[in-house]
Amino acid sequence: MAEPKIWMNGKLVTQADAVLPVNSAAVFYATNVFEGLRAYWNESDDQLYCFRLDEHFARFRESMKMMRFTVPYSDADLHAAVKETLTGNAFREDIHMHLVAYVAGAGMEATSPTGLYINPRRRGRIAEDSGLRCCISSWARTSDNAIPIRLKCGANYQNGRLAVLQAKADGYDAPIFLNQHGRVAEGTGATFFMIRKGQIVTPPVTSDILESITRTTLIEKLCPEAIGMQVVEREIARTELYVAEEAFFCGSGYEITPITSVDRFPLGDGHVGAITQKLSTAYMNIVRGTDKRYPEWRTPVYPKSAKV
Ligand code: PMP
């Protein structure tokens, strides 16, 4: 299978040609912000749908604003770049993309020139059947007053990297972060939800989490409509996880990924929970467009009649 081409500053290039200068702030200080997006192939519609692009672009702008980047792109430019990436590679399959803005100038204070690339890659689903065996990380989530997780910059993921490598070294699949106040925050690249005493609960946006688009999708529409439950947003204590009935991570990359144990305490019967399973199926049908509700969330990539 051909290696996908990368869209970089207006051109599709090979992976070998997608390079950044070593003295750029992007390379030296990880001065970049990004979005992780998925596009889903719908065979019967003969169409590739990107999920919630406008919301990703809005958050991308917020990250660039907080990082004081010079921003030369309109939303129309971003839409065009994503479409060129997907049509230029003639994808007719599910694809994950990283949309990355970076500072090409040198030095700590550089805010320009800003570059843009989109790196598409084939990425499967995560542990949808088996679920993840999680631990509470001994690494704290970075706090809003240090390096805010609301801001989706590459450097933030060093916090996640430390925790995931520690979790794997200790024999777990994935870590769950507590914040500086000892409350549950999120996973490395995903938001956390649990079902406890029949309620579906997730930490508030003030608990040092990314303001996740999947989280919003679940709160506003999917939970009320697919499982008839309103999400409760409140602080969560560590030990609540040990006695939760079910839990899962969610995110554009993680979709709905079940958690089956925390610190080796099995959740429920230790298998993927029924509510999690139902939500996962509902989510996948909506993102792929086999469920036709919420068409405003799906951007079709190909002109209707095109067969590539
Ligand atoms: N938290 C972090 C740290 C993430 O990187 C992600 C993935 N973007 C999420 C949560 C989930 O966010 P979203 O639903 O917008 O993909």
Side-chain angles (χ1 to χ4, degrees), residues 29-86:
Y29 296 110
T31 309
N32 67 48
V33 301
F34 72 100
E35 286 296 316
L37 316 163
R38 279 194 194 257
Y40 292 89
W41 178 246
N42 183 314
E43 186 65 40
S44 61
D45 291 4
D46 196 36
Q47 186 57 273
L48 190 60
Y49 292 114
C50 291
F51 193 61
R52 303 202 76 167
L53 272 187
D54 289 331
E55 289 78 4
H56 279 285
F57 294 159
R59 189 172 64 191
F60 195 50
R61 287 193 183 286
E62 288 186 358
S63 293
M64 288 192 282
K65 179 179 182 184
M66 287 185 271
M67 292 281 275
R68 301 180 192 275
F69 279 22
T70 305
V71 183
Y73 321 106
S74 66
D75 277 8
D77 295 335
L78 296 175
H79 267 284
V82 168
K83 278 197 183 174
E84 280 168 31
T85 306
L86 295 168

Side-chain angles (χ1 to χ4, degrees), residues 7 42 53 61 123 163 171-172 189 194 227 260 273 277 307:
W7 185 101
N42 183 314
L53 272 187
R61 287 193 183 286
R123 177 180 177 183
Y172 297 96
M194 70 172 180
I227 54 168
T260 48
Q277 184 60 63
K307 290 258 180 194

Side-chain angles (χ1 to χ4, degrees), residues 170-199:
D170 293 345
Y172 297 96
D173 297 322
I176 297 169
F177 280 109
L178 305 181
N179 63 23
Q180 302 279 310
H181 307 291
R183 301 295 185 219
V184 174
E186 58 174 359
T188 49
T191 306
F192 176 84
F193 280 71
M194 70 172 180
I195 288 115
R196 172 123 211 265
K197 297 189 176 171
Q199 284 191 319

Side-chain angles (χ1 to χ4, degrees), residues 28-157:
F28 191 62
Y29 296 110
T31 309
N32 67 48
V33 301
F34 72 100
E35 286 296 316
L37 316 163
R38 279 194 194 257
Y40 292 89
W41 178 246
N42 183 314
E43 186 65 40
S44 61
D45 291 4
D46 196 36
Q47 186 57 273
L48 190 60
Y49 292 114
C50 291
F51 193 61
R52 303 202 76 167
L53 272 187
D54 289 331
E55 289 78 4
H56 279 285
F57 294 159
R59 189 172 64 191
F60 195 50
R61 287 193 183 286
E62 288 186 358
S63 293
M64 288 192 282
K65 179 179 182 184
M66 287 185 271
M67 292 281 275
R68 301 180 192 275
F69 279 22
T70 305
V71 183
Y73 321 106
S74 66
D75 277 8
D77 295 335
L78 296 175
H79 267 284
V82 168
K83 278 197 183 174
E84 280 168 31
T85 306
L86 295 168
T87 57
N89 278 289
F91 288 127
R92 293 168 65 85
E93 62 189 304
D94 294 354
I95 281 292
H96 185 271
M97 284 166 281
H98 279 143
L99 164 69
V100 185
Y102 61 90
V103 172
M108 174 74 87
E109 293 169 29
T111 59
S112 68
T114 315
L116 188 72
Y117 68 85
I118 301 174
N119 183 13
R121 59 199 185 114
R122 299 180 173 94
R123 177 180 177 183
R125 301 199 63 196
I126 302 167
E128 59 188 301
D129 299 325
S130 54
L132 297 175
R133 294 161 308 137
C134 292
C135 60
I136 302 294
S137 186
S138 56
W139 295 95
R141 199 50 152 164
T142 53
S143 82
D144 204 58
N145 290 319
I147 176 163
I149 287 293
R150 177 168 292 98
L151 159 53
K152 198 164 165 58
C153 64
N156 270 349
Y157 288 76

